[in-house]
Short mmCIF file of all heavy atoms in Angstrom, two decimals:
data_model
loop_
_atom_site.label_atom_id
_atom_site.label_comp_id
_atom_site.label_asym_id
_atom_site.label_seq_id
_atom_site.Cartn_x
_atom_site.Cartn_y
_atom_site.Cartn_z
N ALA A 126 146.53 49.38 80.17
CA ALA A 126 145.44 49.01 81.08
C ALA A 126 146.01 48.57 82.42
O ALA A 126 147.24 48.49 82.59
CB ALA A 126 144.60 47.88 80.47
N TYR A 127 145.08 48.30 83.37
CA TYR A 127 145.48 47.80 84.69
C TYR A 127 144.60 46.61 85.05
O TYR A 127 143.44 46.54 84.63
CB TYR A 127 145.34 48.88 85.76
CG TYR A 127 146.35 50.00 85.63
CD1 TYR A 127 146.09 51.08 84.80
CD2 TYR A 127 147.55 49.96 86.32
CE1 TYR A 127 147.02 52.10 84.66
CE2 TYR A 127 148.48 50.98 86.19
CZ TYR A 127 148.21 52.05 85.35
OH TYR A 127 149.14 53.06 85.22
N ALA A 128 145.17 45.68 85.80
CA ALA A 128 144.41 44.52 86.29
C ALA A 128 144.44 44.53 87.82
O ALA A 128 145.48 44.82 88.43
CB ALA A 128 145.02 43.21 85.77
N GLU A 129 143.30 44.25 88.43
CA GLU A 129 143.21 44.26 89.88
C GLU A 129 143.49 42.87 90.44
O GLU A 129 142.99 41.87 89.95
CB GLU A 129 141.81 44.72 90.30
CG GLU A 129 141.66 45.01 91.79
CD GLU A 129 141.36 43.78 92.63
OE1 GLU A 129 140.77 42.83 92.07
OE2 GLU A 129 141.72 43.76 93.82
N GLY A 132 143.63 43.59 95.81
CA GLY A 132 143.57 44.98 96.23
C GLY A 132 144.61 45.89 95.62
O GLY A 132 144.63 47.09 95.87
N ALA A 133 145.49 45.34 94.77
CA ALA A 133 146.51 46.15 94.09
C ALA A 133 146.21 46.17 92.60
O ALA A 133 145.60 45.25 92.06
CB ALA A 133 147.89 45.59 94.35
N PHE A 134 146.67 47.24 91.93
CA PHE A 134 146.42 47.39 90.50
C PHE A 134 147.72 47.21 89.74
O PHE A 134 148.68 47.95 89.92
CB PHE A 134 145.80 48.75 90.21
CG PHE A 134 144.46 48.93 90.87
CD1 PHE A 134 144.34 49.58 92.09
CD2 PHE A 134 143.31 48.42 90.28
CE1 PHE A 134 143.11 49.73 92.71
CE2 PHE A 134 142.07 48.56 90.89
CZ PHE A 134 141.97 49.22 92.10
N MET A 135 147.73 46.18 88.88
CA MET A 135 148.95 45.82 88.16
C MET A 135 148.91 46.36 86.73
O MET A 135 147.93 46.12 85.99
CB MET A 135 149.10 44.29 88.13
CG MET A 135 149.16 43.68 89.52
SD MET A 135 149.31 41.87 89.48
CE MET A 135 147.75 41.43 88.69
N GLU A 148 150.49 49.34 93.85
CA GLU A 148 149.63 50.51 93.79
C GLU A 148 148.25 50.16 94.34
O GLU A 148 147.58 49.26 93.86
CB GLU A 148 149.51 51.02 92.35
CG GLU A 148 150.83 51.50 91.77
CD GLU A 148 150.66 52.05 90.37
OE1 GLU A 148 149.68 52.77 90.12
OE2 GLU A 148 151.50 51.74 89.51
N LYS A 149 147.82 50.90 95.35
CA LYS A 149 146.54 50.63 96.00
C LYS A 149 145.41 51.48 95.44
O LYS A 149 144.24 51.17 95.64
CB LYS A 149 146.66 50.88 97.51
CG LYS A 149 147.71 49.99 98.20
CD LYS A 149 147.36 48.51 98.07
CE LYS A 149 148.40 47.64 98.78
NZ LYS A 149 148.09 46.20 98.65
N SER A 150 145.73 52.56 94.75
CA SER A 150 144.70 53.41 94.16
C SER A 150 144.71 53.24 92.65
O SER A 150 145.78 53.14 92.03
CB SER A 150 144.94 54.88 94.52
OG SER A 150 146.22 55.30 94.07
N LEU A 151 143.52 53.20 92.06
CA LEU A 151 143.40 52.97 90.62
C LEU A 151 143.93 54.17 89.84
O LEU A 151 143.42 55.28 89.97
CB LEU A 151 141.94 52.71 90.24
CG LEU A 151 141.65 52.54 88.74
CD1 LEU A 151 142.40 51.32 88.20
CD2 LEU A 151 140.16 52.38 88.50
N PRO A 152 144.96 53.97 89.01
CA PRO A 152 145.47 55.08 88.18
C PRO A 152 144.42 55.48 87.15
O PRO A 152 143.56 54.68 86.76
CB PRO A 152 146.70 54.47 87.51
CG PRO A 152 147.07 53.30 88.36
CD PRO A 152 145.77 52.77 88.89
N SER A 153 144.49 56.72 86.71
CA SER A 153 143.49 57.23 85.77
C SER A 153 144.00 57.31 84.34
O SER A 153 143.32 57.83 83.47
CB SER A 153 143.06 58.63 86.22
OG SER A 153 144.18 59.51 86.27
N ASP A 154 145.20 56.77 84.08
CA ASP A 154 145.77 56.90 82.75
C ASP A 154 145.43 55.74 81.82
O ASP A 154 145.82 55.75 80.65
CB ASP A 154 147.30 57.05 82.84
CG ASP A 154 147.96 55.87 83.54
OD1 ASP A 154 147.27 55.17 84.32
OD2 ASP A 154 149.16 55.63 83.32
N ALA A 155 144.70 54.75 82.30
CA ALA A 155 144.33 53.60 81.47
C ALA A 155 143.16 52.86 82.11
O ALA A 155 142.94 52.96 83.32
CB ALA A 155 145.52 52.65 81.30
N PRO A 156 142.37 52.10 81.31
CA PRO A 156 141.21 51.39 81.86
C PRO A 156 141.59 50.20 82.73
O PRO A 156 142.72 49.70 82.67
CB PRO A 156 140.46 50.94 80.60
CG PRO A 156 141.50 50.86 79.55
CD PRO A 156 142.48 51.95 79.85
N LEU A 157 140.62 49.74 83.50
CA LEU A 157 140.80 48.57 84.37
C LEU A 157 140.24 47.34 83.67
O LEU A 157 139.11 47.34 83.19
CB LEU A 157 140.07 48.80 85.69
CG LEU A 157 140.09 47.64 86.70
CD1 LEU A 157 141.51 47.35 87.16
CD2 LEU A 157 139.18 47.96 87.89
N LEU A 158 141.05 46.27 83.59
CA LEU A 158 140.60 45.01 83.00
C LEU A 158 140.08 44.11 84.12
O LEU A 158 140.76 43.89 85.12
CB LEU A 158 141.75 44.31 82.27
CG LEU A 158 142.37 45.01 81.06
CD1 LEU A 158 143.27 44.05 80.31
CD2 LEU A 158 141.31 45.56 80.12
N ILE A 159 138.88 43.57 83.92
CA ILE A 159 138.24 42.74 84.93
C ILE A 159 137.85 41.40 84.32
O ILE A 159 137.33 41.34 83.19
CB ILE A 159 137.00 43.44 85.52
CG1 ILE A 159 137.41 44.77 86.19
CG2 ILE A 159 136.29 42.55 86.55
CD1 ILE A 159 136.26 45.61 86.67
N ILE A 185 137.41 55.18 78.24
CA ILE A 185 137.10 53.82 78.71
C ILE A 185 137.48 53.70 80.17
O ILE A 185 138.63 53.93 80.55
CB ILE A 185 137.83 52.76 77.88
CG1 ILE A 185 137.49 52.91 76.39
CG2 ILE A 185 137.47 51.36 78.36
CD1 ILE A 185 138.32 52.01 75.48
N SER A 186 136.53 53.30 81.00
CA SER A 186 136.77 53.15 82.44
C SER A 186 137.12 51.71 82.81
O SER A 186 138.12 51.47 83.49
CB SER A 186 135.54 53.61 83.23
OG SER A 186 135.69 53.33 84.59
N GLU A 187 136.31 50.77 82.35
CA GLU A 187 136.52 49.36 82.68
C GLU A 187 136.23 48.49 81.45
O GLU A 187 135.38 48.83 80.63
CB GLU A 187 135.59 48.93 83.83
CG GLU A 187 135.82 49.70 85.12
CD GLU A 187 134.75 49.38 86.16
OE1 GLU A 187 133.84 48.59 85.84
OE2 GLU A 187 134.82 49.93 87.28
#
Side-chain angles (χ1 to χ4, degrees):
Y127 290 86
E129 190 276 333
F134 297 96
M135 301 179 296
E148 296 182 42
K149 299 299 181 181
S150 58
L151 176 61
S153 59
D154 59 337
L157 177 64
L158 297 191
I159 299 174
I185 303 173
S186 173
E187 299 172 358

